[in-house]
Amino acid sequence: MITRRGASGPDSGVRPPRTPLLTPGRVIALAFGGALALGTALLSLPIAVQGRSATFIEALFTATSALCVTGHIVVDTPVFWSPFGQVVILVLIQVGGFGVMSLATLLGLLVARRLGLRTRLTAVSETHTVAVGDVRRVLTGVALITLITQSIVATALALRFWLGYGETGGRAIWLGVFHAISSFNNAGFALFSDNLMSFVTDPWICLPICIAIILGGLGFPVIMELRRRILLPRRWTLNTMTVVVGSAVLLVFGTVALTALEWSNPATLGALPPAGRLLAGFTMSVMPRTAGFNSIDVSQMHPESWFVTDILMFIGGGPAGTAGGLKITTFAVLLFIIVAELRGDTAVNMFGKRLPRSTHREALTVALLAVALVVGSTLAIMLLSPFSFDRVLFEVISAFATVGLSTGITADLPVAAQLILIMLMFIGRLGPVLLGSALALTTQKRMYELPKERPIIG
């Protein structure tokens, strides 16, 4: 009798390995769930509001939107929430952007100055660090980048609010800090009822916020590498090259498309001077990269502009950062797979590097799960609400990609539809694959292979 290597059974004397109860994916999902429960409880307190008490769905929706750095709102942030409530929202944004387990690991590192293996594995899973030994360096680097960027942007905004708009010193500092943290974490929460529409032609407000959004959307691994090798593009990793080139292409595409489509629309860009139209077009091409700020009225945009924004939102930003969406790298891998198949290549190459087949499967899995979630959620909300397909699709993609832009229907959706958006925001922040692995009952490697057979494709 031939015994296969690694075989296990009642007569083999070898027990199959057990799947740990708390895998890194499950730990991260539970940590986000715990932070969400705490945020919901704090926003439900009477001290968190300025008028009537928040309903459970209002507190849950806002906490989810903040923790998942989305920006979707069902109540007016500066009017409904008190200073305490706004601080809770800001803390949730910072925790969600940095990562619940990454923050906990960093705090543990500062206190104990050492990390256990389980803690390192969890941090690796959340930060997408290449090796367990990199965790300490990555977390401290991420914290430093976050602090420096937010401080610079907060200072620039505070000075503008103080000198340009007559805000008091304390109020200007609070506005600068809040919007700097919200923008770098790609959250989109604003302390103005019209978001950034009052500053649509002000480059001293819009550009610092756009810069913070772009940096946060690149992803921490890309920022850390650019800090060391920004003048040496030939030495960039494949991830950095893909994210930088993809971000530039999408920014140019979004700016040209949205500016051209809305140029003569009197309800958006048409009433602005030419320079203001260009600034607003650029700003609105940055925002779909998962930041929910808006400097023009999104509800008045043309349906064609909504569709372009849908595309930008769905693709999203860079991985291992504050951005959401499918991710630029995933989209690029799928694009190069198509190109390789059309050309008849035996391997998929990107920027002079060959992609492993496991990357093909990961990209296809993420893309198909994302499409399934968007399609299913869109259909469900259309059955639950009277709104048109284009508006519902916009809301669904915005929630899944943790963007936060809205055509103005979020607050008018029934509770069941809002719960669907909450689910999408949570899944979008964690990622379909991470959440799926966290929910999987077993993770077991097969000790055999099935016979191959090729179906007809196309």
Side-chain angles (χ1 to χ4, degrees):
M1 182 178 67
I2 299 175
T3 303
R4 288 172 296 178
R5 184 177 181 181
S8 60
D11 299 326
S12 66
V14 180
R15 292 185 178 181
R18 289 186 176 181
T19 301
L21 182 62
L22 288 179
T23 62
R26 292 175 187 174
V27 172
I28 295 170
L30 290 173
F32 265 86
L36 178 59
L38 178 60
T40 302
L42 291 175
L43 291 178
S44 299
L45 297 175
I47 194 177
V49 296
Q50 301 190 90
R52 65 170 177 81
S53 298
T55 64
F56 173 74
I57 191 66
E58 290 170 342
L60 176 63
F61 194 99
T62 304
T64 305
S65 183
L67 184 66
C68 298
V69 291
T70 304
H72 260 314
I73 58 174
V74 290
V75 292
D76 191 351
T77 303
V79 174
F80 187 83
W81 301 109
S82 68
F84 174 82
Q86 294 171 13
V87 170
V88 171
I89 291 172
L90 192 64
V91 172
L92 288 172
I93 291 172
Q94 189 71 286
V95 171
F98 193 83
V100 176
M101 291 310 301
S102 296
L103 182 61
T105 303
L106 180 62
L107 292 176
L109 177 62
L110 294 176
V111 173
R113 297 188 179 277
R114 58 178 299 179
L115 298 173
L117 179 59
R118 183 181 294 276
T119 303
R120 289 178 182 234
L121 290 173
T122 303
V124 165
S125 180
E126 188 173 43
T127 61
H128 297 269
T129 308
V130 175
V132 174
D134 292 337
V135 172
R136 183 190 301 268
R137 178 180 59 83
V138 168
L139 290 181
T140 53
V142 168
L144 186 62
I145 290 170
T146 300
L147 181 62
I148 292 175
T149 304
Q150 292 178 354
S151 298
I152 294 174
V153 175
T155 301
L157 293 176
L159 289 174
R160 183 57 177 169
F161 286 127
W162 178 41
L163 300 176
Y165 294 93
E167 299 284 357
T168 61
R171 171 70 175 169
I173 292 174
W174 170 238
L175 290 174
V177 170
F178 189 97
H179 292 91
I181 293 176
S182 183
S183 57
F184 180 74
N185 288 291
N186 282 216
F189 278 88
L191 293 182
F192 302 97
S193 296
D194 62 354
N195 209 276
L196 300 181
M197 291 173 60
S198 299
F199 314 104
V200 61
T201 58
D202 188 345
W204 299 103
I205 296 293
C206 293
L207 291 183
I209 289 178
C210 287
I211 292 172
I213 292 169
I214 293 171
L215 289 176
L218 289 176
F220 293 117
V222 174
I223 298 175
M224 294 176 68
E225 182 168 10
L226 291 179
R227 187 179 60 176
R228 303 191 310 268
R229 303 173 180 173
I230 191 170
L231 298 179
L232 300 171
R234 292 187 177 182
R235 297 179 60 186
W236 290 354
T237 62
L238 179 59
N239 181 75
T240 297
M241 179 66 73
T242 304
V243 171
V244 171
V245 173
S247 296
V249 170
L250 291 175
L251 282 174
V252 172
F253 165 74
T255 301
V256 173
L258 292 176
T259 303
L261 290 171
E262 296 295 319
W263 186 266
S264 301
N265 185 350
T268 55
L269 302 186
L272 303 176
R277 297 184 196 184
L278 293 176
L279 176 61
F282 172 74
T283 302
M284 290 308 298
S285 73
V286 172
M287 299 311 165
R289 311 305 308 287
T290 80
F293 291 106
N294 62 283
S295 61
I296 61 176
D297 190 349
V298 176
S299 66
Q300 299 300 315
M301 292 169 63
H302 294 311
E304 297 84 357
S305 300
W306 288 342
F307 185 66
V308 170
T309 306
D310 287 339
I311 296 173
L312 296 174
M313 291 192 298
F314 190 72
I315 295 174
T322 59
L326 193 66
K327 301 296 190 300
I328 294 174
T329 47
T330 306
F331 179 79
V333 168
L334 295 174
L335 179 62
F336 277 90
I337 288 175
I338 294 173
V339 171
E341 188 64 27
L342 292 177
R343 294 175 56 180
D345 296 336
T346 57
V348 179
N349 302 314
M350 282 179 57
F351 300 110
K353 301 290 180 64
R354 181 170 57 88
L355 296 179
R357 293 194 177 275
S358 60
T359 303
H360 306 181
R361 296 195 302 268
E362 291 173 7
L364 289 170
T365 300
V366 171
L368 291 177
L369 285 175
V371 170
L373 283 168
V374 168
V375 171
S377 300
T378 301
L379 178 59
I381 294 179
M382 288 183 66
L383 294 173
L384 294 169
S385 68
F387 299 107
S388 61
F389 168 75
D390 51 2
R391 289 181 181 270
V392 173
L393 179 64
F394 192 99
E395 301 292 316
V396 167
I397 295 179
S398 181
F400 170 75
T402 67
V403 177
L405 291 174
S406 173
T407 59
I409 67 173
T410 307
D412 298 324
L413 290 172
V415 172
Q418 292 178 355
L419 289 173
I420 293 175
L421 294 183
I422 289 173
M423 175 201 69
L424 286 170
M425 289 188 286
F426 193 81
I427 295 176
R429 182 66 186 104
L430 291 181
V433 173
L434 177 62
L435 189 61
S437 63
L439 297 176
L441 297 177
T442 59
T443 304
Q444 191 171 341
K445 185 177 180 180
R446 285 184 175 177
M447 306 308 295
Y448 60 90
E449 290 186 356
L450 297 173
K452 289 183 179 180
E453 185 171 348
R454 182 185 179 89
I456 299 174
I457 303 296

